[in-house]
Amino acid sequence: MENIETGLMLMLVGMCTVFVILLIVIWLSTLLIKVVNRFATPEEIAKPKPSASKSSADKGAAEAIKAAVDIITAGKGRVVNIEKLN
């Protein structure tokens, strides 16, 4: 019976220790987020200016994308905007 009591006591102490450490981690991470949000400046995202004339390769690629979407969606889908992702 003494071994069970010792085992339960060790389990309780271990679980409480883990709980307290997790609370400390949560508090410190919340503090870090607040500090970073206060002192970090948000970067402005520069939007690319639309070019007046597209090259023939861009027009051909746009037409190919539109044709592929038309075939795959059986005429129900349409291409609204095409952007290059970085």
Side-chain angles (χ1 to χ4, degrees):
M1 197 63 159
E2 185 178 319
N3 288 337
I4 292 177
E5 291 175 4
T6 306
L8 290 175
M9 184 58 110
L10 284 173
M11 183 182 71
L12 183 64
V13 169
M15 291 177 74
C16 289
T17 304
V18 169
F19 182 74
V20 169
I21 289 173
L22 287 176
L23 282 178
I24 292 171
V25 168
I26 290 170
W27 289 332
L28 288 177
S29 63
T30 303
L31 178 67
L32 178 66
I33 289 171
K34 287 180 181 179
V35 168
V36 168
N37 285 339
R38 178 172 295 191
F39 295 113
T41 59
E43 296 180 15
E44 293 183 8
I45 300 173
K47 294 184 179 180
K49 296 179 182 177
S51 59
S53 63
K54 292 184 177 180
S55 66
S56 62
D58 289 342
K59 289 180 184 179
E63 292 299 320
I65 292 171
K66 288 178 184 179
V69 169
D70 189 43
I71 291 170
I72 291 172
T73 61
K76 294 181 183 178
R78 66 185 181 122
V79 177
V80 177
N81 189 13
I82 300 174
E83 293 181 3
K84 181 178 180 181
L85 300 177
N86 293 336

